[in-house]
Amino acid sequence: MTDLLGLVPESARAALGAWLAERGEPPYRTRQILPRLWQRPVASWEDATELPERLRRALPEAFPLRRLPVVARQVSSDGTEKYLWDLGDGEAVESVLIPEGKRRTLCISSQVGCALGCVFCATGRMGFRRNLSAAEIACQVREVILQDSERKPTNVVFMGMGEPLLNWEAVNTALTQLNHPEGLGIGARHITVSTVGILPNLAKLAQRPEQFRLALSLHAPTPELRHELMPIEKKYGLPAVIAALGRFRRRVTLEYVLIGGTNDGLEQADQLARLARPLGALVNLLPLHPGGAPDLAPSPRAQMLAFERRLRRHGIEAVLRRSRGLDISAACGQLRVELGPRRNVRAQEHARVE
Ligand code: SAH
Ligand code: SF4
């Protein structure tokens, strides 16, 4: 048994080719079967009706197709959809589909939970449970296509649960599966990895030839404040992270959650501008969503606008993001899953503002 969905397309092709040759099947069968993994995915081999019956019967045993059954699907009043996927071992993760004009951005998870414990983040509060495999990462996109092939995501962002650069092997494979023409064929510029800056693996991402986009979760303009918000600052500190971004060769986005009275002062906007300008970075300002530490308050709207204006006055391209999916707890930093008492998987409701 081989999990073809866990392999990059070239390896899947090789595994299929060897199996077909062993059975005395002509090589062109590989060209028939391979597109059914990612390009025109099938829910099960029986659905690949273009194949002879003997193959449809033999394939499930040799190459079972991993599915991620949907436990729950919620639709926000703004059209954002949240999916909860059953991972089969009592764990579950979420993906969020965000329609925006012609774009459909799927926000995917890379881990169940997260070990890094950023104080403002709901995923951080649930702790770390396990890494996802490459198949579990890329199949979040595959499953959305299986639900409705007309609604294939145009963009993918690693902004769901988990820290992608602490699961590098799987994320590295999944990036190829998402981008490769024989995979999902999503352009590298439409795939964004969001990270707090795990430096050794950031260097590995930088070495990939494709133009994957990078979003760096900064959230504070000084090491002292960042340390209060993000424990990872102890290990990979702000000066080293900024220096690594300078070597990234591609334009990066800095993510900055605005927390009332904590990091939303105009002086802090000035400090942020001094970091962003030499990098030519875009700055994404995010309203604080509920779900993290209860004592944190979102920045008032007028303050967020003033912060954005101040950055722009420094010549920084800053965008204050709209919150999407808040009513179903699907917005950034709100993803969190808990196991029920009988190890039934259920989504935890935690949209209350405290
Ligand atoms: N672990 C990675 C990717 C997942 S988090 C990272 O931290 O970058 C995705 C984004 O949501 C990050 O930019 C994160 O800082 C942001 N986020 C976390 N909690 C949030 C909250 N309560 N409100 C708004 N954004 C939040
Ligand atoms: Fe983990 Fe990212 Fe949440 Fe921090 S913000 S706890 S790194 S998921």
Side-chain angles (χ1 to χ4, degrees), residues 55-70:
L55 279 179
R56 274 185 277 154
R57 267 209 303 270
L59 278 164
E61 215 169 284
F63 303 112
L65 283 181
R66 175 78 189 272
R67 296 295 311 278
L68 304 177
V70 192

Side-chain angles (χ1 to χ4, degrees), residues 107 114 116 118 120-122 158-164 194-196 215-219 230 255-257 286-292 331-334:
C107 175
C114 180
L116 297 184
C118 303
F120 44 79
C121 173
F158 283 77
M159 294 188 187
M161 293 163 63
E163 168 48 55
S194 177
T195 177
V196 297
L216 194 287
S217 289
L218 195 71
H219 306 314
M230 303 168 70
E255 311 247 45
Y256 198 94
V257 176
L286 313 165
L288 177 74
H289 301 134
C332 282
Q334 290 200 296

